[in-house]
Amino acid sequence: MRSLKHVPHRLRAPLRPVASAARALPATTTTTTTSSAPIMTHAACSSGTTVVNPITSLLIANRGEIALRIARTAAAMGIRTTTLYTDVDAGSQHAKCSPHALALGPPSAYLDGPRIVALAKQHGIQALHPGYGFLSENPTFAKACEDAGIVFVGPPARAMAEMGDKARSKEIMTAAGVPCVPGYHGPEQTLAQLQARAADIKYPVLLKSVKGGGGKGMRIVKTAGEFEAQLKSARAEARASFGEGGEVMLVEKYIERPRHVEVQVFADRYGNCVALGERDCSVQRRHQKILEESPAPLLDDATRKDLWDKAKTAALAVGYVGAGTVEFILDKDTGDFFFMEMNTRLQVEHPVSEMVTGTDLVEWQFRVAAGERLPLTQDEIEERILERGAAIEARIYAENPAKGFFPDSGKLVHLATPAISDDIRIDAGFVEGDTVSEAYDGMIAKLIVRGKDRETAIRRMELALHEYEVVGLSTNIEFLKRLCRSPAFIAGDVETGFIDKWRDELLCPQPATNEMFAQAALGLLAAEINAASPQPLGLPQPPHGQTLGFGEARSQAERKFAFSVDDVSNSNEAVEEASKTVEVSVTQMGTSLFSVSVSSAESETPQVFENIVCETAVSSPTKTTLTTFFPLARVESTLVRDPTRDDKLTLFQLGHKTELHLVAPGWFEQAQGLKEAAASVVAPMPCKILRNEVSEGQEVVKGAPLVVIESMKMETVIRSPQNGVIKKLAHKEGDICKAGTVLVLFKEEEHSDSST
Ligand code: ADP
Ligand code: ADP
Ligand code: MG
């Protein structure tokens, strides 16, 4: 049934290998010893012999970019791979990347451990890589693999179980002399008991699920008064995300100005353990990382080495084998650091460490799982870090930073990505035309950049982000560009509250320039002309579609367009901003020669660009690229029209993305008597209704909670945008809604003119 004819062939360009560790790998019989391994509990520690049983076939039990990333190394090592896909993922890149792909069915089936083990057995697959998320930290699953004789590419089930419980791991760490955050992590779980513990610890405290991960099931409690509500909410989220047992909470002292610094560790079966440097992951939203870097900025060498040593101690204390991350929280006010948790898997941000150490950690995983010793010593790793400088990863998410980083989903209508090189790497799970499903995490890609030092890496990151173009869903790309320019970030003054602290600077909207409106109008005109008179047959076609000199000036008639800038935020100011219309008039003066006039309500006189040269290429019915010589500069732009909504335009220009609406000119709207009343609240994203907080006929004030929704396992409260009276609640508890569905209708306000 299974064909061995094909070698993996769909590995995509963005997934080119990083500088491989293969060159540096010593012969498998070499004995590598590391110095600072104070505790050795693993059975094989004292063994002097190395038994190697290479991995030759692999089941990748994950999806998206991580499945592709694992497949890439497996292919390079000559390992035959099989991937898994659910119905929604049938057309995904990871399902296509391997010679064998097996169907799982419903979206949640990636979590179906018994079924996945059975498939591996049935198809005679030797080893299984769980990636991150899903089954990667599930000791029962790791044990089931072990029992079925399948090599689990990860730590032993026992080490995973001990570290997987946030409470148990803290006991072990305390016993091993690794400092932990002051807190309570015992069995007392009633409200009164936990509240008493919180009072002992002293507010503010942090509630965390013992099963936590990905920042879920975690709540800050500032005062005793809000304890009960926060406990309830944390428990509900944790149960939804982690199931049975998720509601067991620990209480920790909340550190007010923390940095998140973690150490990448790697251990082999022979008791050797190394640290592959540390990563600072302090730039977070909702306790989830969005930017990670190595080395951690503004960290003295003594602390750095102390962190590495404590991390290795932590790993060895549980007999760890394979790749793991020991997370610490660093108190900026005292300089103290504490063990937070150990992630017993490869992490999302592992490429940062690969870039800065010149290694391929997935290759290390396969080698260690096969029984080899660690490829590099601690000294060799340190040498490499000194040579290689700094690396940063930015997670590109389908989300809307201006709307509280709300997750988004949808089709990638247009996607252009930065050019990759030895120092610019993209790990992605999607290509243009793919759909980012709301069924899974909204990470579209990871962009990883290296520079000789941190400043260079940040600048290169910003430039690479300028090359990113995404249309079809909201992303955090513009936000990440801002971050790269933030003086506080450049200074390395990071903490987990960084985004909140610099919110205004990071989120203030970027005003659209007159050149942008001019380009949008020229682009639309080019598309219109192209559609009206397609290039005659027989003429050579340029490689990227037609070049339109716009031909002869067909007539001196002017063409008018009106635009509004897309409403990027929830605030009322922005809504007003959005309603400001800009009118652009274009007149063709000769071949590729135009005069463009841009007028808006704010400026008294229109800005006129006379006789500007503009060349365009219409590459598809929805995409036009333009090069225009404005009086002071040459400007290149890409204009993309949403194929499903004719009035939605996206313009990429000088590294910025601007979303525009093509609107009917003012006079037209007036003639039609159209005026949209803000009399409803719509679902900002695909979601499930958890509960309505108001009832029909109720009077509410602006900011009052209306509906609580759940999307991507996250609860969100939809608040009232205005004072008013509820006319209708469109949905009941449990309903599933698409983005844009009306949730609440307000009674229309009486018009003041009718009340006189
Ligand atoms: P890190 O690895 O840096 O700790 P997170 O904790 O943010 O990063 O990411 C791990 C989490 O990511 C998982 O618990 C899971 O919820 C989520 N996740 C993201 N992408 C995927 C994916 N492709 N497959 C499975 N889980 C994923
Ligand atoms: P997860 O398993 O979800 O990754 P962690 O325990 O690793 O949970 O915490 C995630 C993030 O929450 C950290 O990176 C940090 O920003 C924040 N955090 C965790 N513990 C504390 C604490 N005691 N005080 C302040 N912030 C904390
Ligand atoms: Mg964590």
Side-chain angles (χ1 to χ4, degrees):
M1 199 186 97
R2 280 178 288 126
S3 148
L4 295 177
K5 271 195 309 235
H6 297 102
V7 288
H9 59 284
R10 290 295 294 254
L11 291 174
R12 314 198 62 85
L15 295 161
R16 63 185 298 286
V18 290
S20 167
R23 274 169 272 134
L25 290 172
T28 53
T29 44
T30 309
T31 303
T32 316
T33 42
T34 47
S35 48
S36 50
I39 307 166
M40 292 194 176
T41 52
H42 198 268
C45 276
S46 51
S47 161
T49 50
T50 311
V51 185
V52 179
N53 184 16
I55 290 169
T56 54
S57 76
L58 179 76
L59 180 66
I60 301 175
N62 215 301
R63 67 181 298 277
E65 63 92 14
I66 189 62
L68 286 153
R69 192 262 164 271
I70 295 163
R72 186 194 80 206
T73 295
M77 292 174 73
I79 298 171
R80 178 164 57 86
T81 62
T82 301
T83 48
L84 299 171
Y85 60 93
T86 55
D87 295 341
V88 276
D89 274 348
S92 65
Q93 302 311 309
H94 79 264
K96 296 179 196 161
C97 81
S98 57
H100 312 285
L102 305 173
L104 285 175
S108 61
Y110 292 119
L111 293 166
D112 189 346
R115 174 115 180 273
I116 291 171
V117 173
L119 282 172
K121 278 220 75 105
Q122 182 193 337
H123 292 270
I125 300 169
Q126 176 200 8
L128 181 147
H129 196 307
Y132 56 73
F134 296 143
L135 298 164
S136 63
E137 290 184 284
N138 182 328
T140 316
F141 178 72
K143 179 80 176 29
C145 290
E146 283 167 26
D147 291 348
I150 294 160
V151 179
F152 180 80
V153 183
R158 191 179 38 79
M160 199 189 273
E162 297 201 311
M163 282 300 191
D165 184 302
K166 285 189 194 212
R168 172 85 187 110
S169 67
K170 280 176 186 151
E171 280 166 27
I172 299 172
M173 287 312 113
T174 308
V178 179
C180 296
V181 189
Y184 174 70
H185 33 84
E188 296 174 8
Q189 289 293 318
T190 66
L191 167 67
Q193 287 168 329
L194 288 174
Q195 205 158 12
R197 294 294 182 168
D200 292 345
I201 295 163
K202 290 197 176 58
Y203 289 96
V205 298
L206 188 68
L207 288 169
K208 275 186 196 179
S209 164
V210 292
K211 288 204 169 179
K216 292 186 181 113
M218 197 147 58
R219 293 289 183 279
I220 303 165
V221 192
K222 297 217 171 85
T223 60
E226 57 181 55
F227 191 89
E228 185 171 2
Q230 295 289 39
L231 178 65
K232 237 177 150 172
S233 156
R235 281 189 160 150
E237 191 174 280
R239 275 222 59 131
S241 303
F242 315 115
E244 189 72 35
E247 71 282 351
V248 179
M249 290 284 143
L250 47 92
V251 192
E252 261 178 22
K253 178 76 198 151
Y254 179 68
I255 295 166
E256 310 235 20
R257 292 204 322 137
R259 283 176 66 178
H260 175 122
V261 180
E262 58 185 33
V263 180
Q264 174 72 57
V265 293
F266 224 108
D268 64 19
R269 285 188 200 167
Y270 310 97
N272 305 304
C273 182
V274 290
L276 289 114
E278 76 289 340
R279 298 183 287 253
D280 187 300
C281 314
S282 298
V283 182
Q284 308 181 338
R285 47 108 184 81
R286 298 189 210 290
H287 304 298
Q288 264 190 302
K289 306 157 182 174
I290 38 181
L291 202 131
E292 300 104 340
E293 56 176 311
S294 184
L298 307 183
L299 194 66
D300 63 88
D301 221 45
T303 311
R304 187 189 310 280
K305 295 290 162 55
D306 198 10
L307 280 166
W308 293 9
D309 284 342
K310 293 285 189 308
K312 288 191 273 186
T313 304
L316 290 164
V318 290
Y320 202 79
V321 178
T325 296
V326 184
E327 296 190 335
F328 295 95
I329 190 160
L330 220 122
D331 188 336
K332 270 181 107 171
D333 295 317
T334 62
D336 295 337
F337 66 80
F338 306 100
F339 169 83
M340 199 158 37
E341 63 165 340
M342 179 165 185
N343 292 323
T344 53
R345 55 174 157 92
L346 194 67
Q347 289 210 190
V348 173
E349 60 274 28
H350 74 277
V352 170
S353 304
E354 292 184 326
M355 278 285 216
V356 91
T357 56
T359 53
D360 178 336
L361 294 182
V362 175
E363 179 177 348
W364 280 41
Q365 285 189 301
F366 289 136
R367 292 185 175 242
V368 164
E372 288 187 29
R373 289 170 186 274
L374 291 177
L376 294 175
T377 64
Q378 190 66 62
D379 289 344
E380 287 167 333
I381 291 167
E382 278 189 59
E383 240 170 72
R384 286 187 174 208
I385 295 176
L386 286 176
E387 254 168 48
R388 296 181 63 87
I392 305 184
E393 170 180 285
R395 300 190 189 189
I396 315 260
Y397 275 106
E399 68 182 15
N400 191 334
K403 291 187 177 162
F405 295 92
F406 249 47
D408 199 5
S409 54
K411 187 170 171 179
L412 292 162
V413 169
H414 165 79
L415 176 66
T417 54
I420 55 168
S421 66
D422 279 349
D423 293 334
I424 298 183
R425 164 176 168 184
I426 295 173
D427 280 19
F430 299 98
V431 297
E432 184 174 283
D434 283 355
T435 295
V436 179
S437 158
E438 71 267 19
Y440 304 107
D441 185 274
M443 193 169 76
I444 302 172
K446 304 184 299 200
L447 173 62
I448 311 102
V449 169
R450 188 183 73 87
K452 70 175 183 14
D453 50 34
R454 184 173 184 268
E455 291 68 29
T456 312
I458 296 173
R459 288 198 305 269
R460 296 186 77 175
M461 172 63 81
E462 192 196 346
L463 290 180
L465 286 165
H466 279 197
E467 293 178 51
Y468 243 113
E469 298 180 355
V470 180
V471 180
L473 35 76
S474 309
T475 73
N476 61 345
I477 294 171
E478 299 307 299
F479 175 83
L480 291 167
K481 290 176 196 164
R482 292 283 180 91
L483 204 55
C484 291
R485 282 198 304 276
S486 152
F489 178 69
I490 294 167
D493 187 13
V494 290
E495 59 193 66
T496 60
F498 186 88
I499 292 177
D500 272 334
K501 185 169 169 188
W502 300 103
R503 181 165 292 272
D504 293 344
E505 173 190 319
L506 295 170
L507 288 172
C508 79
Q510 167 87 22
T513 62
N514 285 343
E515 283 82 355
M516 291 180 184
F517 292 114
Q519 289 287 77
L522 286 163
L524 286 174
L525 184 62
E528 269 178 21
I529 295 173
N530 184 58
S533 55
Q535 191 87 335
L537 286 173
L539 283 182
Q541 297 281 327
H544 305 293
Q546 293 186 13
T547 296
L548 280 181
F550 288 72
E552 291 298 306
R554 294 192 303 179
S555 72
Q556 293 283 323
E558 65 171 343
R559 178 78 175 83
K560 277 193 172 172
F561 300 93
F563 302 102
S564 69
V565 180
D566 222 5
D567 158 27
V568 287
S569 109
N570 252 340
S571 70
N572 280 346
E573 295 86 334
V575 174
E576 272 162 33
E577 192 70 42
S579 62
K580 275 179 204 146
T581 305
V582 174
E583 289 194 358
V584 184
S585 140
V586 185
T587 310
Q588 184 163 9
M589 311 304 286
T591 305
S592 303
L593 201 63
F594 299 87
S595 284
V596 183
S597 155
V598 183
S599 50
S600 68
E602 295 118 89
S603 54
E604 280 165 19
T605 48
Q607 181 168 12
V608 180
F609 303 106
E610 300 242 37
N611 294 316
I612 51 176
V613 173
C614 167
E615 263 147 30
T616 64
V618 179
S619 52
S620 85
T622 53
K623 276 184 220 177
T624 307
T625 54
L626 309 97
T627 305
T628 304
F629 291 85
F630 284 96
L632 297 177
R634 188 203 67 198
V635 176
E636 288 182 1
S637 318
T638 302
L639 181 70
V640 185
R641 254 179 126 136
D642 189 323
T644 59
R645 282 198 44 191
D646 242 14
D647 61 326
K648 273 187 85 174
L649 305 169
T650 309
L651 186 76
F652 295 95
Q653 188 163 310
L654 299 172
H656 288 289
K657 174 181 176 178
T658 310
E659 298 189 290
L660 300 172
H661 269 289
L662 189 57
V663 293
W667 58 264
F668 182 73
E669 225 169 74
Q670 276 165 16
Q672 299 249 308
L674 288 177
K675 191 180 175 298
E676 272 217 82
S680 65
V681 172
V682 298
M685 60 210 278
C687 62
K688 182 167 120 191
I689 308 292
L690 289 184
R691 60 188 174 273
N692 286 310
E693 295 278 22
V694 289
S695 46
E696 289 175 6
Q698 187 176 331
E699 202 175 320
V700 295
V701 293
K702 183 176 167 187
L706 298 177
V707 185
V708 183
I709 61 167
E710 186 201 274
S711 188
M712 296 183 159
K713 292 186 178 157
M714 212 168 55
E715 268 190 53
T716 304
V717 180
I718 309 281
R719 294 176 183 279
S720 180
Q722 62 183 65
N723 296 340
V725 177
I726 308 295
K727 184 174 167 195
K728 191 173 163 45
L729 293 170
H731 294 280
K732 57 175 194 321
E733 192 180 315
D735 284 1
I736 306 287
C737 300
K738 288 191 177 149
T741 314
V742 171
L743 301 176
V744 178
L745 274 172
F746 288 96
K747 283 200 173 137
E748 298 271 352
E749 262 179 70
E750 311 258 299
H751 289 293
S752 46
D753 45 333
S754 63
S755 60
T756 49

